[in-house]
Amino acid sequence: MAMFLAGLSGFLALGFEIAWFRVFSMAAADRAPAFALLLSIFLAGIAAGSYLSEKLTERASPHTVAQVIGMLLLLAGGISVYLPALVGVARVHGWSFLAPAPAFFLTAAMFGSVLPLLCQISVLAGDQAGSEVSLVYVSNIIGSVLGSLGIGFVLMQHFGLRQISLQLGIATVLAGGMVLMIARQESGFPPVWATLLFVAALVAVPLASPRFDSLYEKLTFGDRPETRTTF
């Protein structure tokens, strides 16, 4: 299960990154630094999440760590679908397209927290620990590659940014709910906060759909009058 979740989290994280790059490239008028800036924000978030999550949960029980993983996925799924609209809002107000960068950093940190936490609860100390960790990481890498290629070369040929973002958001929320369901096997029904968070995240994703209206116009024209002209 840890390998599956590692691969799935990699797929979702890199899938979102590809979608976000489309947003950044349009907001930056396809200037070369757009990808470098997004990649820097994304990798910094992944690194921060990996470091902090392990430090903050090193003394927690496996059950608690599993709940944290589920919570992080729920939050990431519920927040990620609103990030493209934040860039559009920044452009309409004449701000830099990097103004929402902290939100992208935070979301990347949530995704980055999943892999080390999965290793923490699934890999036992012993002679096989190294090989078990490597299998989890390989699964994550495979998922990341499939996410990049699948979103960039397949889904983007058939779906728009709205559909891709919502699909990834729903998948992330369902993954978080699945982790919480697995964690409940040790303690019965999940706590009330987990149920409420799952429902809130599941509702938040489709509610983000109207935020994509005229998004391309906002990203392209910013605060100019042409923003009101629909492509």
Side-chain angles (χ1 to χ4, degrees):
M1 181 57 70
M3 292 174 60
F4 171 76
L5 288 173
L8 180 60
S9 66
F11 180 94
L12 295 170
L14 268 294
F16 270 119
E17 186 192 12
I18 296 300
W20 295 342
F21 172 65
R22 188 172 185 180
V23 174
F24 269 57
S25 62
M26 293 192 68
D30 285 327
R31 291 195 296 269
F35 178 72
L37 291 170
L38 174 60
L39 185 61
S40 299
I41 296 168
F42 187 81
L43 292 179
I46 292 288
S50 299
Y51 177 79
L52 292 175
S53 62
E54 194 169 10
K55 289 296 182 182
L56 294 175
T57 61
E58 58 185 354
R59 296 185 179 180
S61 66
H63 173 68
T64 300
V65 174
Q67 287 186 329
V68 171
I69 294 173
M71 179 188 68
L72 289 171
L73 287 172
L74 292 180
L75 290 173
I79 294 173
S80 296
V81 291
Y82 290 89
L83 297 184
L86 279 180
V87 181
V89 170
R91 292 281 291 135
V92 167
H93 286 82
W95 306 333
S96 167
F97 68 93
L98 291 176
F104 285 86
F105 174 89
L106 178 62
T107 308
M110 293 178 188
F111 280 113
S113 301
V114 174
L115 184 59
L117 293 181
L118 282 174
C119 291
Q120 182 176 331
I121 62 175
S122 64
V123 178
L124 301 177
D127 296 337
Q128 301 299 317
S131 61
E132 291 175 0
V133 169
S134 65
L135 288 175
V136 176
Y137 271 79
V138 166
S139 300
N140 183 258
I141 293 171
I142 292 174
S144 300
V145 171
L146 292 177
S148 300
L149 297 178
I151 300 301
F153 290 97
V154 179
L155 291 186
M156 279 196 171
Q157 306 304 316
H158 303 282
F159 300 100
L161 182 63
R162 184 200 309 258
Q163 291 85 352
I164 291 174
S165 297
L166 295 180
Q167 290 165 7
L168 289 172
I170 288 292
T172 305
V173 170
L174 292 178
M178 180 178 66
V179 174
L180 291 176
M181 289 292 290
I182 295 173
R184 82 167 189 170
Q185 294 177 358
E186 297 183 10
S187 60
F189 290 102
V192 175
W193 66 263
T195 303
L196 293 177
L197 184 59
F198 174 74
V199 173
L202 197 61
V203 171
V205 172
L207 287 179
S209 181
R211 305 293 179 181
F212 288 84
D213 293 343
S214 302
L215 179 59
Y216 289 142
E217 292 85 350
K218 296 174 184 176
L219 295 174
T220 303
F221 300 119
D223 56 353
R224 289 183 289 172
E226 292 90 334
T227 299
R228 294 186 290 272
T229 303
T230 303
F231 283 172

